[in-house]
Amino acid sequence: MFKLQLLPRDMHFFDLFEAAAANMVAGSKALLDLMEVFENVDAKVKAIKEIEHEGDQITHRVMNDLRKTFIPPIEGDDIVALAESLDDVLDYIEEAAVRLVLYKVHGPTPTAQELTRIIVQMCEEIQRTLPLLRRRGEHERILKSTVEVNRLENEADDALRRGLAELFDHPDDVLHVIKWREIYELLEGATDRGEDIANVLEGVVLRNA
């Protein structure tokens, strides 16, 4: 009698997600080091670019492997969204770092440092959470983590608003306002992309409850 055998799901995607998260944390900490010790700026920005490039490689691996995989561990759309969002956080981190060189700033502002610290906290929270995807019994913990990521994103929004208000307290230095407004928005954008990751995770949990 013919017996139906269930094909195992390809679980190595979780390894790739966790590698991407570790790389994202490395990028966020490299940016924080730049913001807190504003020395050897060109070399530090180059290092951040290399971390971002490594993130791109992981993303490409995810996409290529997904095309070859018959039974992914979660929905294919969720795999794509998660991989792209992890990559997007690093993209924003890199762009913010590049602007520091491009605009020849003399040092970070307190708002830039505050936003970067929030980015690090968010990246670390996501890194702690992604391994929980492997086990259904951890879904409640994932949802708690998504709440924390959303809280951090709101904290970044508040920091951005305060930073912009301070910039416009001294509108006479137009170039200063333009430069830092863009850098602040890139930093806050990194937290928006982190919130995108949380939204994907929340969707995965709810669809597999």
Side-chain angles (χ1 to χ4, degrees):
M1 180 179 177
F2 175 76
K3 292 183 178 179
L4 178 64
Q5 293 184 336
L6 295 177
L7 295 174
R9 294 179 181 271
D10 193 334
M11 305 296 281
H12 87 284
F13 285 101
F14 294 134
D15 297 329
L16 294 173
F17 292 148
E18 289 163 24
N23 196 57
M24 180 179 67
V25 169
S28 69
K29 289 184 175 179
L31 181 64
L32 182 60
D33 176 61
L34 173 60
M35 290 290 187
E36 292 185 337
V37 184
F38 204 69
E39 301 171 353
N40 303 315
V41 174
D42 288 341
K44 289 183 177 182
V45 171
K46 181 180 178 182
I48 291 171
K49 288 182 178 180
E50 291 171 354
I51 292 170
E52 192 278 332
H53 179 68
E54 177 63 24
D56 286 341
Q57 296 302 311
I58 297 171
T59 302
H60 293 323
R61 171 83 185 277
V62 171
M63 301 306 179
N64 288 334
D65 288 2
L66 183 59
R67 287 194 290 269
K68 306 171 188 174
T69 300
F70 187 62
I71 305 180
I74 57 178
E75 294 291 331
D77 288 346
D78 290 329
I79 288 176
V80 171
L82 190 51
E84 289 182 342
S85 296
L86 286 161
D87 190 56
D88 286 345
V89 173
L90 267 179
D91 288 342
Y92 276 79
I93 286 172
E94 181 201 15
E95 286 299 322
V98 167
R99 291 301 190 281
L100 296 174
V101 175
L102 181 65
Y103 294 155
K104 297 180 172 63
V105 303
H106 300 298
T109 65
T111 296
Q113 293 174 328
E114 181 181 4
L115 284 167
T116 305
R117 284 191 288 269
I118 295 170
I119 292 170
V120 172
Q121 292 176 58
M122 181 178 284
C123 290
E124 289 179 333
E125 181 67 27
I126 291 166
Q127 184 185 30
R128 286 191 293 269
T129 303
L130 280 176
L132 302 178
L133 272 179
R134 297 176 183 268
R135 303 182 295 276
R136 283 183 179 271
E138 302 290 357
H139 283 182
E140 184 176 346
R141 288 175 62 190
I142 293 175
L143 292 178
K144 288 181 179 179
S145 179
T146 62
V147 171
E148 174 62 11
V149 171
N150 289 332
R151 186 193 70 77
L152 288 167
E153 195 279 330
N154 289 333
E155 190 176 321
D157 284 344
D158 291 341
L160 173 64
R161 282 191 286 268
R162 290 194 302 272
L164 292 177
E166 290 170 2
L167 288 179
F168 287 103
D169 281 342
H170 305 283
D172 49 303
D173 191 344
V174 176
L175 286 179
H176 178 80
V177 171
I178 292 173
K179 291 175 182 180
W180 280 108
R181 177 178 180 176
E182 183 173 347
I183 294 169
Y184 291 170
E185 289 177 346
L186 285 168
L187 293 170
E188 195 276 333
T191 68
D192 287 340
R193 303 292 76 77
E195 187 177 41
D196 290 344
I197 296 170
N199 291 339
V200 174
L201 293 174
E202 184 177 30
V204 170
V205 169
L206 295 177
R207 279 188 289 278
N208 291 275

Short mmCIF file of all heavy atoms in Angstrom, two decimals, residues 165-201:
data_model
loop_
_atom_site.label_atom_id
_atom_site.label_comp_id
_atom_site.label_asym_id
_atom_site.label_seq_id
_atom_site.Cartn_x
_atom_site.Cartn_y
_atom_site.Cartn_z
N ALA A 165 12.94 69.98 15.98
CA ALA A 165 12.56 71.24 16.64
C ALA A 165 13.80 72.03 17.05
O ALA A 165 13.85 73.26 16.90
CB ALA A 165 11.69 70.94 17.86
N GLU A 166 14.82 71.33 17.55
CA GLU A 166 16.06 72.01 17.94
C GLU A 166 16.77 72.61 16.73
O GLU A 166 17.34 73.70 16.81
CB GLU A 166 16.98 71.02 18.66
CG GLU A 166 16.47 70.62 20.04
CD GLU A 166 17.26 69.47 20.65
OE1 GLU A 166 18.23 69.01 20.00
OE2 GLU A 166 16.90 69.02 21.75
N LEU A 167 16.75 71.89 15.61
CA LEU A 167 17.36 72.43 14.40
C LEU A 167 16.71 73.74 13.98
O LEU A 167 17.39 74.71 13.62
CB LEU A 167 17.26 71.41 13.25
CG LEU A 167 18.15 70.18 13.30
CD1 LEU A 167 17.87 69.28 12.09
CD2 LEU A 167 19.63 70.55 13.34
N PHE A 168 15.39 73.76 14.04
CA PHE A 168 14.67 74.94 13.56
C PHE A 168 14.62 76.06 14.61
O PHE A 168 14.09 77.13 14.33
CB PHE A 168 13.27 74.55 13.09
CG PHE A 168 13.29 73.81 11.78
CD1 PHE A 168 13.11 72.44 11.75
CD2 PHE A 168 13.53 74.48 10.60
CE1 PHE A 168 13.15 71.75 10.54
CE2 PHE A 168 13.57 73.80 9.39
CZ PHE A 168 13.39 72.43 9.35
N ASP A 169 15.19 75.79 15.79
CA ASP A 169 15.38 76.87 16.75
C ASP A 169 16.47 77.83 16.27
O ASP A 169 16.54 78.99 16.72
CB ASP A 169 15.78 76.31 18.12
CG ASP A 169 14.58 75.76 18.88
OD1 ASP A 169 13.44 76.12 18.51
OD2 ASP A 169 14.78 74.95 19.79
N HIS A 170 17.32 77.34 15.36
CA HIS A 170 18.42 78.16 14.83
C HIS A 170 18.41 78.05 13.30
O HIS A 170 19.34 77.49 12.69
CB HIS A 170 19.76 77.69 15.39
CG HIS A 170 19.79 77.65 16.88
ND1 HIS A 170 19.93 78.78 17.65
CD2 HIS A 170 19.67 76.60 17.76
CE1 HIS A 170 19.92 78.44 18.94
NE2 HIS A 170 19.76 77.13 19.03
N PRO A 171 17.39 78.57 12.65
CA PRO A 171 17.24 78.41 11.20
C PRO A 171 18.20 79.24 10.37
O PRO A 171 18.23 79.12 9.15
CB PRO A 171 15.79 78.87 10.96
CG PRO A 171 15.54 79.88 12.05
CD PRO A 171 16.30 79.36 13.24
N ASP A 172 19.03 80.09 11.04
CA ASP A 172 19.94 80.94 10.29
C ASP A 172 21.02 80.13 9.58
O ASP A 172 21.49 80.51 8.51
CB ASP A 172 20.60 81.96 11.23
CG ASP A 172 21.18 81.31 12.47
OD1 ASP A 172 20.39 80.65 13.19
OD2 ASP A 172 22.39 81.45 12.72
N ASP A 173 21.40 78.96 10.15
CA ASP A 173 22.40 78.11 9.52
C ASP A 173 21.67 77.06 8.67
O ASP A 173 21.42 75.94 9.09
CB ASP A 173 23.26 77.43 10.59
CG ASP A 173 24.48 76.74 9.99
OD1 ASP A 173 24.50 76.53 8.77
OD2 ASP A 173 25.41 76.42 10.76
N VAL A 174 21.32 77.47 7.47
CA VAL A 174 20.47 76.64 6.62
C VAL A 174 21.13 75.31 6.27
O VAL A 174 20.49 74.25 6.30
CB VAL A 174 20.09 77.40 5.33
CG1 VAL A 174 19.28 76.51 4.41
CG2 VAL A 174 19.32 78.66 5.67
N LEU A 175 22.42 75.35 5.94
CA LEU A 175 23.12 74.11 5.57
C LEU A 175 23.14 73.12 6.72
O LEU A 175 22.98 71.91 6.52
CB LEU A 175 24.54 74.43 5.10
CG LEU A 175 24.67 75.06 3.71
CD1 LEU A 175 26.14 75.34 3.39
CD2 LEU A 175 24.06 74.14 2.66
N HIS A 176 23.36 73.63 7.92
CA HIS A 176 23.36 72.77 9.11
C HIS A 176 21.99 72.08 9.26
O HIS A 176 21.92 70.88 9.52
CB HIS A 176 23.67 73.60 10.35
CG HIS A 176 23.64 72.81 11.63
ND1 HIS A 176 24.68 72.02 12.05
CD2 HIS A 176 22.66 72.70 12.58
CE1 HIS A 176 24.37 71.46 13.20
NE2 HIS A 176 23.16 71.85 13.54
N VAL A 177 20.94 72.83 9.08
CA VAL A 177 19.59 72.28 9.19
C VAL A 177 19.35 71.22 8.13
O VAL A 177 18.84 70.12 8.42
CB VAL A 177 18.54 73.41 9.06
CG1 VAL A 177 17.13 72.81 8.96
CG2 VAL A 177 18.63 74.37 10.24
N ILE A 178 19.72 71.51 6.89
CA ILE A 178 19.48 70.57 5.79
C ILE A 178 20.25 69.27 6.01
O ILE A 178 19.70 68.17 5.85
CB ILE A 178 19.87 71.21 4.44
CG1 ILE A 178 18.92 72.35 4.10
CG2 ILE A 178 19.88 70.16 3.33
CD1 ILE A 178 19.34 73.15 2.88
N LYS A 179 21.53 69.39 6.38
CA LYS A 179 22.36 68.20 6.58
C LYS A 179 21.80 67.30 7.66
O LYS A 179 21.60 66.10 7.46
CB LYS A 179 23.79 68.62 6.95
CG LYS A 179 24.58 69.28 5.85
CD LYS A 179 25.93 69.74 6.38
CE LYS A 179 26.75 70.47 5.33
NZ LYS A 179 28.07 70.93 5.86
N TRP A 180 21.55 67.89 8.82
CA TRP A 180 21.15 67.05 9.95
C TRP A 180 19.72 66.57 9.84
O TRP A 180 19.39 65.48 10.33
CB TRP A 180 21.40 67.79 11.26
CG TRP A 180 22.85 67.70 11.63
CD1 TRP A 180 23.78 68.70 11.58
CD2 TRP A 180 23.55 66.53 12.03
NE1 TRP A 180 25.01 68.23 11.94
CE2 TRP A 180 24.91 66.90 12.22
CE3 TRP A 180 23.18 65.21 12.24
CZ2 TRP A 180 25.87 65.99 12.62
CZ3 TRP A 180 24.15 64.29 12.64
CH2 TRP A 180 25.48 64.67 12.83
N ARG A 181 18.87 67.34 9.19
CA ARG A 181 17.51 66.85 8.98
C ARG A 181 17.54 65.56 8.17
O ARG A 181 16.84 64.59 8.52
CB ARG A 181 16.67 67.90 8.25
CG ARG A 181 15.25 67.42 7.94
CD ARG A 181 14.43 68.49 7.27
NE ARG A 181 13.09 68.01 6.99
CZ ARG A 181 12.12 68.76 6.47
NH1 ARG A 181 12.35 70.03 6.18
NH2 ARG A 181 10.93 68.26 6.26
N GLU A 182 18.35 65.52 7.13
CA GLU A 182 18.42 64.30 6.31
C GLU A 182 19.03 63.14 7.09
O GLU A 182 18.53 62.01 7.02
CB GLU A 182 19.24 64.56 5.04
CG GLU A 182 19.27 63.35 4.12
CD GLU A 182 19.93 63.64 2.80
OE1 GLU A 182 20.15 64.82 2.48
OE2 GLU A 182 20.25 62.68 2.09
N ILE A 183 20.08 63.41 7.85
CA ILE A 183 20.71 62.34 8.63
C ILE A 183 19.74 61.80 9.68
O ILE A 183 19.61 60.58 9.86
CB ILE A 183 22.01 62.84 9.28
CG1 ILE A 183 23.05 63.17 8.20
CG2 ILE A 183 22.57 61.80 10.24
CD1 ILE A 183 24.26 63.92 8.71
N TYR A 184 19.04 62.70 10.37
CA TYR A 184 18.06 62.26 11.36
C TYR A 184 16.99 61.38 10.72
O TYR A 184 16.59 60.34 11.28
CB TYR A 184 17.36 63.46 12.01
CG TYR A 184 18.22 64.31 12.92
CD1 TYR A 184 17.74 65.53 13.39
CD2 TYR A 184 19.50 63.92 13.30
CE1 TYR A 184 18.50 66.34 14.21
CE2 TYR A 184 20.27 64.73 14.13
CZ TYR A 184 19.77 65.93 14.58
OH TYR A 184 20.53 66.73 15.40
N GLU A 185 16.52 61.79 9.57
CA GLU A 185 15.45 61.03 8.92
C GLU A 185 15.93 59.66 8.45
O GLU A 185 15.17 58.68 8.46
CB GLU A 185 14.86 61.84 7.77
CG GLU A 185 14.05 63.04 8.26
CD GLU A 185 13.50 63.91 7.16
OE1 GLU A 185 13.95 63.77 6.00
OE2 GLU A 185 12.61 64.75 7.46
N LEU A 186 17.20 59.56 8.05
CA LEU A 186 17.75 58.25 7.70
C LEU A 186 17.85 57.36 8.94
O LEU A 186 17.53 56.17 8.88
CB LEU A 186 19.12 58.42 7.05
CG LEU A 186 19.12 58.94 5.61
CD1 LEU A 186 20.53 59.35 5.20
CD2 LEU A 186 18.56 57.89 4.65
N LEU A 187 18.30 57.93 10.04
CA LEU A 187 18.40 57.15 11.27
C LEU A 187 17.03 56.68 11.74
O LEU A 187 16.85 55.51 12.10
CB LEU A 187 19.08 57.99 12.36
CG LEU A 187 20.56 58.34 12.12
CD1 LEU A 187 21.03 59.37 13.14
CD2 LEU A 187 21.42 57.09 12.17
N GLU A 188 16.07 57.59 11.71
CA GLU A 188 14.71 57.19 12.10
C GLU A 188 14.14 56.19 11.10
O GLU A 188 13.37 55.30 11.47
CB GLU A 188 13.83 58.44 12.19
CG GLU A 188 12.51 58.22 12.93
CD GLU A 188 11.43 57.65 12.02
OE1 GLU A 188 11.50 57.90 10.80
OE2 GLU A 188 10.53 56.97 12.54
N GLY A 189 14.53 56.32 9.83
CA GLY A 189 14.08 55.36 8.83
C GLY A 189 14.56 53.96 9.12
O GLY A 189 13.86 52.97 8.82
N ALA A 190 15.75 53.83 9.71
CA ALA A 190 16.24 52.50 10.09
C ALA A 190 15.31 51.87 11.12
O ALA A 190 15.05 50.66 11.08
CB ALA A 190 17.66 52.60 10.65
N THR A 191 14.77 52.68 12.04
CA THR A 191 13.84 52.12 13.02
C THR A 191 12.50 51.78 12.39
O THR A 191 11.83 50.84 12.81
CB THR A 191 13.63 53.08 14.21
OG1 THR A 191 12.93 54.25 13.80
CG2 THR A 191 14.97 53.47 14.83
N ASP A 192 12.10 52.53 11.36
CA ASP A 192 10.87 52.18 10.63
C ASP A 192 11.01 50.80 9.99
O ASP A 192 10.08 50.00 9.99
CB ASP A 192 10.58 53.21 9.55
CG ASP A 192 10.07 54.53 10.11
OD1 ASP A 192 9.59 54.54 11.26
OD2 ASP A 192 10.16 55.54 9.40
N ARG A 193 12.19 50.54 9.41
CA ARG A 193 12.42 49.24 8.77
C ARG A 193 12.49 48.15 9.82
O ARG A 193 12.08 47.01 9.57
CB ARG A 193 13.71 49.29 7.95
CG ARG A 193 13.76 50.38 6.88
CD ARG A 193 12.77 50.16 5.73
NE ARG A 193 11.40 50.47 6.05
CZ ARG A 193 10.92 51.71 6.12
NH1 ARG A 193 11.71 52.75 5.92
NH2 ARG A 193 9.64 51.91 6.37
N GLY A 194 12.99 48.49 11.01
CA GLY A 194 12.96 47.51 12.09
C GLY A 194 11.54 47.17 12.49
O GLY A 194 11.22 46.02 12.79
N GLU A 195 10.67 48.18 12.48
CA GLU A 195 9.26 47.93 12.77
C GLU A 195 8.64 47.06 11.69
O GLU A 195 7.77 46.23 11.98
CB GLU A 195 8.51 49.26 12.88
CG GLU A 195 7.07 49.08 13.36
CD GLU A 195 6.37 50.42 13.52
OE1 GLU A 195 6.56 51.31 12.67
OE2 GLU A 195 5.61 50.56 14.50
N ASP A 196 9.09 47.21 10.45
CA ASP A 196 8.62 46.33 9.37
C ASP A 196 8.94 44.87 9.69
O ASP A 196 8.12 43.97 9.44
CB ASP A 196 9.28 46.70 8.04
CG ASP A 196 8.79 48.03 7.48
OD1 ASP A 196 7.74 48.52 7.94
OD2 ASP A 196 9.48 48.58 6.60
N ILE A 197 10.13 44.62 10.24
CA ILE A 197 10.50 43.26 10.63
C ILE A 197 9.52 42.74 11.68
O ILE A 197 9.04 41.60 11.60
CB ILE A 197 11.94 43.23 11.18
CG1 ILE A 197 12.94 43.61 10.08
CG2 ILE A 197 12.27 41.84 11.74
CD1 ILE A 197 14.35 43.83 10.58
N ALA A 198 9.23 43.58 12.67
CA ALA A 198 8.29 43.18 13.72
C ALA A 198 6.92 42.87 13.13
O ALA A 198 6.26 41.90 13.54
CB ALA A 198 8.17 44.28 14.77
N ASN A 199 6.49 43.64 12.15
CA ASN A 199 5.19 43.40 11.53
C ASN A 199 5.16 42.06 10.79
O ASN A 199 4.16 41.35 10.82
CB ASN A 199 4.85 44.54 10.57
CG ASN A 199 4.58 45.85 11.28
OD1 ASN A 199 4.25 45.86 12.48
ND2 ASN A 199 4.73 46.95 10.58
N VAL A 200 6.27 41.73 10.13
CA VAL A 200 6.36 40.44 9.44
C VAL A 200 6.28 39.31 10.45
O VAL A 200 5.54 38.32 10.26
CB VAL A 200 7.65 40.33 8.60
CG1 VAL A 200 7.79 38.93 8.02
CG2 VAL A 200 7.68 41.36 7.49
N LEU A 201 7.04 39.44 11.53
CA LEU A 201 7.04 38.39 12.56
C LEU A 201 5.65 38.21 13.17
O LEU A 201 5.20 37.09 13.40
CB LEU A 201 8.05 38.74 13.65
CG LEU A 201 9.53 38.72 13.24
CD1 LEU A 201 10.41 39.22 14.38
CD2 LEU A 201 9.95 37.32 12.83
#
